[in-house]
Amino acid sequence: MRLDKWLWHARFFKSRSLATRYVEKARCRVDGRVVDKPHATVAPGMVLTFALGPRVRVVRIVALGERRGPAPEARALYDEIDPA
């Protein structure tokens, strides 16, 4: 699945275009490497690191969403990891 689409499904961004612009500015890391292409492929087990607001979010992808559903469904797509 595309990175921008997954970020939108997981409700980190209000729209897919916002997620696309965010990734294009190279503010996201997938498994430790900087990604600046919104079409980068993500899969379960990968770790995403990105700054969102005043926090740095580190999440492990658990599942790929079929749709952008309600918040409880979106939270089931990832596990939060405390940045060490």
Side-chain angles (χ1 to χ4, degrees), residues 42-57:
V42 295
M46 291 183 162
V47 176
L48 302 180
T49 308
F50 55 97
L52 196 58
R55 296 180 53 195
V56 172
R57 306 290 299 261

Side-chain angles (χ1 to χ4, degrees), residues 21-49:
R21 278 185 264 153
Y22 182 85
V23 174
E24 285 174 345
K25 292 181 181 177
R27 296 182 179 165
C28 197
R29 292 177 181 260
V30 177
D31 288 337
R33 92 186 135 77
V34 176
V35 175
D36 61 354
K37 303 291 184 193
H39 63 269
T41 304
V42 295
M46 291 183 162
V47 176
L48 302 180
T49 308

Side-chain angles (χ1 to χ4, degrees), residues 42-78:
V42 295
M46 291 183 162
V47 176
L48 302 180
T49 308
F50 55 97
L52 196 58
R55 296 180 53 195
V56 172
R57 306 290 299 261
V58 181
V59 298
R60 176 172 286 115
I61 298 174
V62 174
L64 304 176
E66 293 290 321
R67 65 188 181 109
R68 180 179 163 92
E73 187 177 311
R75 280 192 294 273
L77 298 179
Y78 62 91

